[in-house]
Amino acid sequence: MSSEPSGALPRRRPSPIAIKKRNDGGGEEGKEEEKEKKGSWMEYEGEAEQPLSPAARLFHQPRFNCYIVAEMGIGTPIDVAAIKAGLLSTLVLHPRFSSVQILDESKGKKPKWVRTNVVIDNHIVIPNLDPNSNNPDQLVEDYVASLSNSPAIDLSRPLWDLHILNFQTSKASSVVILRIHHSLGDGTSLMSLLLACTRKTSNPDSPPSLPFSHHPPRSRHRNHLFAMLAALWAFLLLIFHSFVDLIIFTATAVFLNDSDTPFKGGDGTERHPKRFVHQSVYLDDIKIVKNAVGCTVNDVLLGVTSAGLTRYLYRKNESGNEKEKKKRFESNIRVRSTVLVNIRPSPGIHALADMMQAGKCDAKWGNLMGYMILPFPIAFHRDPLDYVRKGKAIADRKKSSLEAIFTYTCAYVMMKLFGVKATAALSHRLLCHTSLSFSNIIGPVEEIGFYGHPLLYIAPSVYGHPQALTVHYQSYMNKMEIVLAVDESLIPDPHRLLDDLAESLQLIKDAAIAVKSVG
């Protein structure tokens, strides 16, 4: 399967718009005239220059130039004019989406954001594809894959674009792909911003709502001495776990490498084209397992991922009899994931919607992230629910750790002392020594519309990092979308891996139902 299909490349983008200085001596009339010049750069009063965060600078390094892509299935043909008008009234009002990045660091200059007028046509891409293709699903998949091998977005304009594929597929009436440079924000914040641009189809004036966790109330009759001892024990565990995780993090950055599996990328993987595939499973199936084990949805997804990776690797390892293969799996294979954790709580959808309406960025924003290293045990369990129980144990252990805060602090100190290139080299080495990236993002519980177009699915992913496999889970309504980004030179059959994950969920769900029926 080619990663550079003919006829599936983006159209040639408009030529870069010129940068012009604001004429402060021209009076108010001159300022208004300059505002009206389409494509001219201008610095907004009070927001003339905002420095790039350390993480934003990191994402511009040659071996760390990452982009987020979000494929969205639409239930109707796309009205391009409505999409443009909607973007101008929401997304373009966000300062990060209406600013250019000045990366010049010569003569002591610091990289910064500079506000600009946005020419919306420079950000809309409508490729010349054959709508009568025999396999429109493959056409969309090939096109999204081509984005990971296309030229970077021009730095002379805000670093995002929207690609419109206005033809029918098996999953949707049309497809849009939003591509955003990772320097604009972390994945969770950007997904919140995207959802803030949508509205409920049942109430077009209302932003979508997300599910929230119900925490049982704490008992008021607990023994105070017992509570103090429990708090002290939890604090000691927090310190111990954080220290151990920091040691493992340091060892991973220096020498501790994952096993050589098809998931394992390495130096140069960031330059390889990626293929993006996705499949829906029912959220109710995940909740059946969640209730049977007494855990969270994220714990279930950790268990499903571990089971799916085991199934895939077991099939790839054809040598030896069944007993030898299982023994080798359980003793020798180390597969770990890096998880980006936003240290700053993500701004809420309503806060972002209000911010865009007001045209001010009052909500906290930006890449303020640390890393966690999450192991995925490659093992065989007679009881499929043991995968979830193990996932819950790993997640509970990570909750009792300050690993993400410590790794963010270490990266910040290293950036100050040694600069962005040394920090990028360390981060690159860490990713090269682990096998995959993992994330789970909560989506709306009801149907939403994207500028008047009903949304059927959301499939976000990322490319530009040195890992051959990225696993994303995105919930929406009653579905969970499993999204994979793979390096096809190492994982030539990504749909088989998708099936392994879905089949693992089915086996685990069947085991949960059996336990419930026995109970």
Side-chain angles (χ1 to χ4, degrees):
M1 190 180 296
S2 172
S3 58
E4 297 182 59
S6 60
L9 294 176
R11 71 175 185 184
R12 185 175 179 179
R13 295 181 178 82
S15 58
I17 49 184
I19 299 178
K20 296 184 179 181
K21 299 290 186 179
R22 185 181 63 188
N23 182 8
D24 290 330
E28 293 300 322
E29 184 177 347
K31 292 179 182 178
E32 290 301 320
E33 288 179 358
E34 188 162 12
K35 287 183 181 180
E36 293 172 358
K37 292 179 182 177
K38 296 295 184 181
S40 64
W41 300 115
M42 54 175 285
E43 296 180 355
Y44 283 40
E45 292 291 348
E47 304 177 25
E49 296 180 3
Q50 294 291 329
L52 259 68
S53 68
R57 295 171 59 196
L58 188 68
F59 282 121
H60 278 290
Q61 294 306 299
R63 296 191 297 175
F64 226 72
N65 197 17
C66 297
Y67 284 85
I68 295 171
V69 289
E71 178 184 330
M72 295 175 283
I74 307 297
T76 60
I78 294 173
D79 181 347
V80 178
I83 294 290
K84 290 181 180 180
L87 290 171
L88 287 171
S89 63
T90 54
L91 195 67
V92 170
L93 297 180
H94 191 287
R96 293 295 179 260
F97 285 77
S98 58
S99 298
V100 291
Q101 298 181 27
I102 308 300
L103 302 178
D104 182 16
E105 297 189 50
S106 63
K107 299 179 180 179
K109 295 180 181 178
K110 294 184 178 180
K112 60 188 177 182
W113 301 92
V114 177
R115 292 292 292 267
T116 180
N117 280 338
V118 174
V119 180
I120 193 65
D121 287 336
N122 288 350
H123 297 269
I124 303 295
V125 180
I126 305 177
N128 184 21
L129 301 177
D130 181 11
N132 300 315
S133 168
N134 293 329
N135 192 344
D137 291 347
Q138 188 66 47
L139 190 62
V140 171
E141 184 182 308
D142 289 344
Y143 181 80
V144 181
S146 74
L147 295 180
S148 69
N149 201 35
S150 63
I153 300 177
D154 197 330
L155 282 171
S156 67
R157 62 172 62 95
L159 298 181
W160 64 274
D161 51 25
L162 185 77
H163 302 251
I164 298 177
L165 311 183
N166 214 347
F167 54 82
Q168 179 87 32
T169 70
S170 65
K171 298 180 180 179
S173 296
S174 53
V175 175
V176 297
I177 304 106
L178 181 62
R179 180 171 61 158
I180 306 166
H181 196 271
H182 215 319
S183 61
L184 271 66
D186 66 276
T188 303
S189 295
L190 290 170
M191 183 56 63
S192 296
L193 180 65
L194 174 61
L195 295 178
C197 297
T198 66
R199 295 294 181 268
K200 299 177 183 178
T201 54
S202 60
N203 183 3
D205 295 327
S206 177
S209 54
L210 301 179
F212 57 92
S213 301
H214 296 274
H215 298 286
R218 295 182 179 180
S219 172
R220 298 182 180 180
H221 304 288
R222 294 178 63 181
N223 182 284
H224 290 292
L225 178 60
F226 177 79
M228 291 177 60
L229 291 175
L232 177 61
W233 177 246
F235 176 74
L236 293 175
L237 280 180
L238 181 70
I239 298 300
F240 175 72
H241 290 160
S242 301
F243 177 75
V244 171
D245 287 341
L246 190 58
I247 294 297
I248 293 175
F249 180 87
T250 304
T252 301
V254 176
F255 66 87
L256 187 59
N257 213 341
D258 275 8
S259 301
D260 188 14
T261 68
F263 309 136
K264 183 73 167 56
D267 190 14
T269 303
E270 67 275 7
R271 296 187 293 272
H272 296 172
K274 298 298 190 297
R275 182 158 293 271
F276 306 92
V277 297
H278 58 93
Q279 179 176 335
S280 295
V281 295
Y282 286 104
L283 196 55
D284 285 343
D285 290 349
I286 296 173
K287 291 179 179 178
I288 289 173
V289 179
K290 166 182 172 289
N291 295 331
V293 178
C295 61
T296 66
V297 167
N298 193 66
D299 297 337
V300 176
L301 298 180
L302 291 176
V304 167
T305 304
S306 181
L309 298 181
T310 299
R311 288 170 63 90
Y312 183 85
L313 289 178
Y314 183 72
R315 186 186 306 104
K316 290 292 184 181
N317 188 6
E318 298 178 352
S319 61
N321 58 43
E322 297 292 318
K323 186 175 181 180
E324 290 176 351
K325 287 166 68 176
K326 289 184 178 181
K327 183 178 180 181
R328 186 161 57 245
F329 264 56
E330 293 177 353
S331 60
N332 293 335
I333 295 184
R334 180 192 296 122
V335 173
R336 296 174 299 165
S337 167
T338 52
V339 179
L340 277 175
V341 179
N342 191 7
I343 305 300
R344 175 191 294 139
S346 178
I349 290 176
H350 286 75
L352 288 170
D354 294 341
M355 178 274 296
M356 288 187 291
Q357 186 175 6
K360 296 180 180 179
C361 190
D362 296 326
K364 296 295 184 181
W365 185 267
N367 286 292
L368 198 66
M369 303 176 301
Y371 279 112
M372 282 198 316
I373 297 177
L374 201 64
F376 281 99
I378 303 300
F380 291 91
H381 299 295
R382 290 185 178 180
D383 182 359
L385 289 177
D386 284 344
Y387 287 106
V388 179
R389 296 186 183 107
K390 185 67 175 177
K392 181 180 186 303
I394 292 172
D396 289 345
R397 161 68 177 78
K398 287 295 179 178
K399 291 173 186 175
S400 177
S401 173
L402 299 175
E403 179 180 7
I405 294 176
F406 282 168
T407 55
Y408 166 78
T409 304
C410 289
Y412 180 81
V413 171
M414 188 170 183
M415 183 85 76
K416 289 290 186 181
L417 294 178
F418 303 106
V420 65
K421 292 184 178 180
T423 309
L426 178 67
S427 300
H428 184 272
R429 186 176 179 84
L430 175 75
L431 295 182
C432 286
H433 284 179
T434 53
S435 299
L436 66 143
S437 290
F438 175 90
S439 77
N440 168 32
I441 301 179
I442 299 174
V445 296
E446 69 277 276
E447 185 180 68
I448 58 176
F450 185 65
Y451 305 125
H453 304 78
L455 201 59
L456 301 183
Y457 66 83
I458 312 170
S461 195
V462 66
Y463 68 87
H465 57 302
Q467 288 174 318
L469 173 64
T470 301
V471 181
H472 284 273
Y473 291 95
Q474 173 69 56
S475 67
Y476 175 49
M477 293 196 292
N478 63 338
K479 298 285 186 69
M480 179 70 76
E481 203 75 22
I482 308 174
V483 189
L484 304 181
V486 306
D487 180 347
E488 282 190 295
S489 65
L490 296 175
I491 306 175
D493 50 353
H495 289 282
R496 179 64 261 179
L497 179 55
L498 262 183
D499 290 340
D500 284 334
L501 292 167
E503 290 167 9
S504 295
L505 173 60
Q506 183 65 40
L507 290 172
I508 293 171
K509 185 199 78 169
D510 291 343
I513 293 175
V515 168
K516 186 176 180 181
S517 62
V518 171

